[in-house]
Amino acid sequence: MILGVIADDFTGATDVASMLVRAGMRTVQVIGVPNVAPKTQRGALHLPPEGAHPAWGGPAPDADAIVVALKTRTIPAAEAVRESLAALRWLQAAGMRQCYFKYCSTFDSTPAGNIGPVTEALMNALGADFTIACPAFPENGRTIFRGHLFVGDELLSDSGMRQHPLTPMTDANLVRVLQAQSTRKVGLIRHDTIAQGANSVRARAAALRREDISIAIADATTNDDLRTLAAACADLPLLTAGSGLALGLPAIYAERGWLVPDTRAAALDATTGRAAVLSGSCSLATNAQVQRWRDAGRPAFAVDPRALARGEPVADRALAWARAQGDAPVLVFATASPNDLQTVQSELGATQAGALVEACLAQIARGLVGSGVRRLVVAGGETSGAVVQALGVTQLRIGAAICTGVPWTQAEGALFNPSLDAPLHLALKSGNFGGPDFFDEALRAIAA
Ligand code: ADP
């Protein structure tokens, strides 16, 4: 195992994992910090203690990179630090050579953290005297110039992120943003330095260290900039970034002889069985995807949160309906337009409505898999978390990308593998990803 990644949310973890696979690293994502130390000694049998995380009844997964998916983006900083350090210890025990703290490409955080506090805690634990912070993801329009983050053509502070309900980003100057949540001094590696190559970046990092600056926001406007940064930072114990920086790492590891890039890194075991889509996201992108499916006259079942609140057996009805559709891929959705969502939320309460819908979709997921569905597309970050948990999935092997940031994955983990006749493939999509045809593209990408 070469690279250990600590990701601050679930779909962000899948995003960075997808990037690593694309560049030839065999990558596994584990969900939460496994509570049993992985086996690192060759060959020895490892018996987990009673009540252990089911993923770790055996040795650590055979992979070049392991991504630990946490949910620490918006929890209190002290908790985010504690969980991130637990993930670090686990990855260290699994033998990682370099650590990568992955956050959002829009640097989602509050003035209290969590990017700064987690970065500093990881640096302290790793004995690192310097690291970079680079959320740039040019392929998705996230670029950094002179320390300022752009979303497409707009400064971060002029973009929709200004109004984010949990982490409003009102300052595009990332040096200032990170400094506000750090005790260490924060500096900048400018684009003109990066344009001169990896040696210039190293020289700049050395100069910053002499000024007692130990975290540097790094400019990047292209994938080449990210590759230069990756080359310059290959010896740092800790990297902190969005998913973009990961694209440059496999080539560096290969140069060092640590990695033989595997052209079949994205290969998953073949599967058979039915396909289904579950949608609990109400984003604009997902609304368009659901609409496209229904417009095409394909089988679709609407989950009504009011019926759930009345205690009606909505999941049972959905499952009976799905069985009656035969082999045709089905869509079960709670997805609602912004207006409808607002009305339901004001009637039932947003948290209550969300919890009812998540529990129902999770129950439907179990029922579908129980009746032979082996290819399941799930739309929505929270919804994906609920579904994965209900299915007892503790790790995901990452396959080929359907669109940027959304790969097919293969469910792993001792909880259900033995009972299934064929592997279970999952595509977990965070709300805003994918074009209107995403559901169909996903199903065609992995036709049984
Ligand atoms: P996204 O990735 O788009 O944010 P999530 O799954 O993370 O999607 O969040 C969507 C939330 O909205 C979930 O908690 C889900 O249960 C809830 N939800 C979905 N449909 C409805 C609906 N019709 N009424 C109320 N809440 C809903």
Side-chain angles (χ1 to χ4, degrees), residues 46-413:
H46 177 64
L47 292 176
E50 216 171 311
H53 191 294
W56 305 114
D62 176 26
D64 303 315
I66 299 181
V67 181
V68 179
L70 300 180
K71 218 174 162 215
T72 48
R73 185 168 294 170
T74 54
I75 64 175
E79 278 173 48
V81 163
R82 203 165 38 243
E83 284 194 37
S84 304
L85 288 176
L88 175 71
R89 279 191 293 275
W90 187 86
L91 289 165
Q92 283 175 314
M96 78 172 172
R97 296 182 182 209
Q98 190 167 39
C99 183
Y100 190 122
F101 171 36
K102 152 75 174 76
Y103 37 71
C104 189
S105 63
T106 41
F107 216 59
D108 299 14
S109 53
T110 65
N114 292 336
I115 295 176
V118 170
T119 298
E120 293 188 306
L122 294 174
M123 288 180 81
N124 293 341
L126 285 160
D129 67 349
F130 186 80
T131 190
I132 58 163
C134 182
F137 191 4
E139 282 178 33
N140 270 3
R142 274 61 159 157
T143 54
I144 308 172
F145 186 72
R146 302 272 165 124
H148 289 71
L149 179 59
F150 291 81
V151 178
D153 293 335
E154 293 175 317
L155 281 169
L156 174 67
S157 46
D158 293 329
S159 76
M161 283 305 294
R162 199 182 170 76
Q163 273 108 26
H164 192 280
L166 300 175
T167 53
M169 300 301 289
T170 53
D171 187 358
N173 182 329
L174 297 187
V175 176
R176 216 158 40 203
V177 170
L178 189 55
Q179 189 63 79
Q181 41 180 288
S182 306
T183 56
R184 294 171 181 252
K185 274 166 75 180
V186 179
L188 174 65
I189 301 176
R190 275 182 8 189
H191 189 263
D192 45 1
T193 305
I194 294 162
Q196 285 165 22
N199 282 338
S200 296
V201 175
R202 284 189 204 102
R204 173 69 180 153
L208 288 170
R209 277 189 184 99
R210 284 194 294 277
E211 292 171 38
D212 206 25
I213 289 173
S214 52
I215 310 174
I217 297 292
D219 279 356
T221 63
T222 63
N223 282 351
D224 280 342
D225 294 337
L226 291 170
R227 287 191 191 96
T228 302
L229 278 172
C233 298
D235 290 314
L236 297 180
L238 175 70
L239 301 170
T240 87
S243 61
L245 185 69
L247 70 88
L249 292 174
I252 306 299
Y253 298 150
E255 257 173 48
R256 302 181 158 217
W258 295 355
L259 172 76
V260 179
D262 186 346
T263 51
R264 289 184 41 80
L268 303 179
D269 296 333
T271 193
T272 55
R274 293 173 52 207
V277 183
L278 281 179
S279 180
S281 156
C282 295
S283 70
L284 293 180
T286 308
N287 265 287
Q289 289 154 1
V290 168
Q291 195 58 46
R292 182 63 61 93
W293 181 280
R294 298 176 75 191
D295 287 348
R298 303 181 75 171
F301 182 100
V303 167
D304 175 7
R306 291 183 187 88
L308 290 171
R310 289 194 296 269
E312 293 176 23
V314 177
D316 291 342
R317 277 182 210 148
L319 289 167
W321 168 85
R323 272 192 299 276
Q325 305 308 310
D327 285 340
V330 294
L331 165 67
V332 177
F333 68 97
T335 305
S337 68
N339 274 347
D340 291 350
L341 178 65
Q342 220 180 357
T343 314
V344 168
Q345 285 180 332
S346 61
E347 281 173 35
L348 305 179
T351 315
Q352 165 77 348
L356 282 171
V357 168
E358 279 173 39
C360 176
L361 292 178
Q363 195 186 336
I364 294 170
R366 283 172 69 99
L368 288 172
V369 172
S371 66
V373 166
R374 295 292 176 268
R375 292 168 295 144
L376 186 61
V377 179
V378 186
E382 293 298 323
T383 308
S384 294
V387 165
V388 157
Q389 201 176 11
L391 292 173
V393 174
T394 48
Q395 68 188 55
L396 298 166
R397 189 163 291 275
I398 306 296
I402 301 158
C403 65
T404 304
V406 193
W408 269 107
T409 71
Q410 182 168 331
E412 294 183 338

